[in-house]
Amino acid sequence: MSKVALITGITGQDGSYLAELLLSKGYEVHGIVRRVALEDENHRLWRIRKILEDITLHAGSLESYASLFNIILKIKPTEVYHLAAQSYVAYSFEDEFSTLNININGTHYLLSAVKEFVKSNVKFYFAGSSEMFGKVKETPQNEETPFNPRSSYGISKVTGYHLTKNYREAYKLHASSGILFNHESPRRGFEFVTRKISFGAARIKKNLQKKLKLGNLNARRDWGHAKDYVEAMWLMLQQENPQDLVIGTGKDYSVEDFAKKAFDCVGLNYKDHIVLDDNLIRPAEVDTLLANSSKAKKILKWEPKIPFDDLVASMVENDLKLNHDL
């Protein structure tokens, strides 16, 4: 019997890599999108363009319990990966209401829908985030570190984490949360600081712009490659017992480190091109996030394969090849 996977957020960075991984393992892969339109192929669906013929997309919304329930009823998934969210932290300060509504209610609706099929042994994965730790109580952070979120995004993810745990304990659902630290790739959205840096370095190299505006250069993050992290997601649902695990590299770098490496890739000195903009600093800043993934490494036998330098280089090389009329 072939495994059937349902992915929310399949058009995003993680969803696209996960879909490719599951297809390589022989899964029947389904994804939820707001609507299915061919004209979206070069925009919203660009990350999954090459696998569109191999997957099935369903029109649905995280804000509609009925649409989620009907999709699950129709395809009867064996594994559900809940990756969809309003995931841009800076935007969550601008629109707290939609961030909390989509991220919390969407997770609740999906868990409730999956619960109705618990007897079919469906397994559920929730995409947690290192932003749940926020202003950290200890460094590095592991599964026992207290949560102290500093944004509505972080708050919504803490709520999703507890909802997932509650459904696991109350309804015996095989439900796990992956507390993933920052993970990037050439498929990262342009609104995120890492992609802003790699794209900016490429444009400056091509003389398409002179300066790159950044906020807090001192913020430190544990950056890995999304391709490695989706493998950890899959491994979590292959375990007999569901649980919550921290996923990261165990190494941290500052935003300034990332910028220096990106500009080094194009033979430029980042100090000549970066302009500090106080408007880009968050109202409540998170200084350092660093993962202790020893538990995940022991249980999943998982190790990140792509080092920081290769991650940055792959993003810059990709952005040098793009049409820069964006």
Side-chain angles (χ1 to χ4, degrees), residues 121-188:
N121 297 318
V122 61
K123 296 179 178 180
F124 180 89
Y125 172 87
F126 171 69
S129 167
S130 57
E131 290 289 333
M132 292 155 58
F133 295 119
K135 193 168 183 63
V136 298
K137 303 291 188 181
E138 61 187 27
T139 297
Q141 296 86 50
N142 62 24
E143 292 79 7
E144 305 303 319
T145 302
F147 298 137
N148 188 24
R150 299 275 282 170
S151 66
S152 58
Y153 170 73
I155 292 167
S156 73
K157 285 296 183 178
V158 170
T159 306
Y161 165 90
H162 284 298
L163 280 167
T164 302
K165 184 179 181 182
N166 181 251
Y167 269 73
R168 178 172 70 228
E169 295 174 350
Y171 305 112
K172 310 306 178 189
L173 188 66
H174 192 298
S176 300
S177 291
I179 306 173
L180 273 58
F181 280 61
N182 292 61
H183 45 289
E184 320 298 319
S185 76
R187 298 181 189 176
R188 194 49 145 159

Side-chain angles (χ1 to χ4, degrees), residues 15-79:
S16 63
Y17 280 118
L18 179 61
E20 290 172 356
L21 175 69
L22 297 178
L23 286 172
S24 74
K25 295 182 179 296
Y27 279 67
E28 178 185 318
V29 177
H30 297 257
I32 295 178
V33 294
R34 277 196 168 273
R35 57 188 172 84
V36 184
L38 292 177
E39 62 266 23
D40 289 336
E41 188 170 325
N42 292 323
H43 300 284
R44 202 161 48 100
L45 306 182
W46 66 270
R47 295 180 181 91
I48 56 172
R49 191 184 309 137
K50 293 181 180 178
I51 59 170
L52 277 175
E53 294 183 359
D54 303 314
I55 63 177
T56 304
L57 297 180
H58 303 266
S61 170
L62 290 178
E63 297 165 272
S64 167
Y65 175 81
S67 71
L68 298 176
F69 182 89
N70 289 331
I71 291 168
I72 291 174
L73 177 64
K74 180 180 180 181
I75 68 176
K76 297 177 174 60
T78 53
E79 296 175 7

Side-chain angles (χ1 to χ4, degrees), residues 88-109:
Y88 183 37
V89 178
Y91 180 72
S92 76
F93 284 104
E94 298 172 20
D95 190 352
E96 296 178 350
F97 294 96
S98 66
T99 298
L100 292 169
N101 180 45
I102 293 169
N103 293 1
I104 295 175
N105 289 341
T107 300
H108 191 192
Y109 291 159

Side-chain angles (χ1 to χ4, degrees), residues 197-212 256-274 316 320:
I197 292 170
S198 65
F199 190 64
R203 282 180 59 85
I204 289 170
K205 178 64 176 179
K206 292 187 171 186
N207 293 316
L208 296 173
Q209 70 184 64
K210 297 295 183 184
K211 301 294 181 179
L212 174 63
E256 187 170 9
D257 293 333
F258 199 105
K260 181 181 185 305
K261 182 61 61 175
F263 279 86
D264 283 349
C265 289
V266 294
L268 297 173
N269 185 338
Y270 75 103
K271 292 182 178 179
D272 295 334
H273 302 283
I274 288 178
V316 175
L320 285 169

